[in-house]
Amino acid sequence: MEKIALVTGASRGIGRAVARQLAADGYAVGVNYRVRQDCADSLVSELTASGCRALALRADVSDRAQINDMVRRLEDAFGPVSLLVNNAGVAGQALFQDITDDLWHRYFGVNVDGAFHTIQAVLPRMLHEHEGCIVNISSIWGLRGASCEVTYAATKAALIGLTRSLAAELAPSGIRVNCVAPGVIRTDMLNALPPAVLPQLAEETPLGRLGTPEDIAEAVAFLADRRASFITGQVLTVDGGFIL
Ligand code: NAP
């Protein structure tokens, strides 16, 4: 039977690669985006042309009403969501003393409230089906902490706490909740860094390169698969050994 996946922030970067991988694995995919409709539409056209069902869904994950509406549209079109990938995220650097209330709440609004809203929106159908899988995209900075990225690291650490606690709460209902903690991955998110830093980061990575969105997509697909059916509440670090 065809399974239904919802990937937040799937217009670009890691989310786009995750949506592609899940479509290749036989999922019908909801491609959520906030701004880049052009990118979401091009991905949906590509997936549809390859014989998969896909739907572009505009919604700001920080807005509960938009998320509820988005999930309703996806479930009306394709059926109950069995896999949710909470990937949409924002990042940036600032000295702690320069962090404004606005920046703090905006990052938490997208990175943490976004997952909270989206999980609550898909959960009723997962509970009804007594089956489901949730994968949250955290970060190595949520495990280790990062200078000048206190807000971002705090949001990503919060996702790990959410993952472990929710996994314990939902396991008796047949729903697994896991986390992927990517290292440094080549996406637009790295554009904020000075270009000279990237070769340096690759050199600091024991496996000798930066990660690709596809590296993360493979990890998400594994956690979603039946092969991972006894894995819940875990954080899978995918970073080429960066924080060993
Ligand atoms: P990216 O290239 O900047 O893409 C971000 C995606 O999130 C875009 O599709 C964007 O959609 C979407 N998005 C942003 N705000 C949103 C909102 N409010 N509502 C819905 N969608 C929203 O980032 P990425 O590198 O792929 O990162 C994806 C995830 O991996 C993030 O959670 C990030 O923290 C995490 N991560 C990344 C790295 C890395 O090195 N790249 C490392 C560790 C963890 P639109 O453009 O359409 O608005």
Side-chain angles (χ1 to χ4, degrees):
M1 204 183 79
E2 188 186 43
K3 300 160 288 180
I4 316 301
L6 170 58
V7 184
T8 66
S11 51
R12 295 182 289 116
I14 291 171
R16 188 177 181 92
V18 169
R20 269 201 186 112
Q21 181 63 53
L22 295 176
D25 290 349
Y27 285 86
V29 186
V31 174
N32 162 251
Y33 68 99
R34 188 178 75 93
V35 175
R36 295 298 302 272
Q37 183 175 358
D38 55 333
C39 299
D41 284 347
S42 75
L43 179 61
V44 166
S45 304
E46 174 195 317
L47 300 182
T48 308
S50 66
C52 306
R53 290 204 299 167
L55 191 62
L57 298 157
R58 204 201 81 75
D60 181 339
V61 294
S62 68
D63 183 321
R64 184 186 286 283
Q66 290 186 30
I67 289 304
N68 287 344
D69 178 62
M70 173 182 76
V71 169
R72 203 173 309 117
R73 276 185 284 150
L74 178 59
E75 297 199 327
D76 285 352
F78 290 168
V81 172
S82 55
L83 168 62
L84 167 63
V85 183
N86 282 309
N87 165 80
V90 286
Q93 298 193 313
L95 285 172
F96 184 71
Q97 286 298 86
D98 294 338
I99 297 169
T100 59
D101 285 3
D102 177 61
L103 184 137
W104 181 267
H105 292 302
R106 191 159 50 82
Y107 281 25
F108 270 84
V110 177
N111 297 359
V112 184
D113 298 3
F116 170 51
H117 297 152
T118 315
I119 293 168
Q120 284 197 332
V122 301
L123 208 47
R125 301 289 289 267
M126 286 187 179
L127 288 168
H128 183 260
E129 305 289 322
H130 207 79
E131 190 179 15
C133 180
I134 297 167
V135 180
N136 298 315
I137 306 298
S138 176
S139 165
I140 53 168
W141 308 127
L143 285 163
R144 196 177 83 167
S147 169
C148 298
E149 295 205 53
V150 169
T151 315
Y152 180 71
T155 64
K156 293 298 175 174
L159 279 179
I160 291 170
L162 181 155
T163 298
R164 291 185 173 137
S165 305
L166 194 60
E169 187 171 322
L170 293 180
S173 303
I175 298 164
R176 296 184 301 110
V177 189
N178 288 292
C179 219
V180 172
V184 186
I185 310 300
R186 277 196 186 279
T187 69
D188 295 345
M189 199 170 260
L190 299 191
N191 292 345
L193 299 175
V197 170
L198 297 183
Q200 228 169 291
L201 289 169
E203 210 169 291
E204 279 173 47
T205 305
L207 283 177
R209 65 171 176 87
L210 298 183
T212 64
E214 290 72 26
D215 290 324
I216 307 306
E218 291 284 2
V220 172
F222 166 68
L223 288 172
D225 193 73
R226 282 185 53 80
R227 288 170 299 165
S229 62
F230 203 49
I231 300 177
T232 196
Q234 300 305 304
V235 182
L236 177 53
T237 301
V238 184
D239 70 345
F242 194 84
I243 61 163
L244 281 177

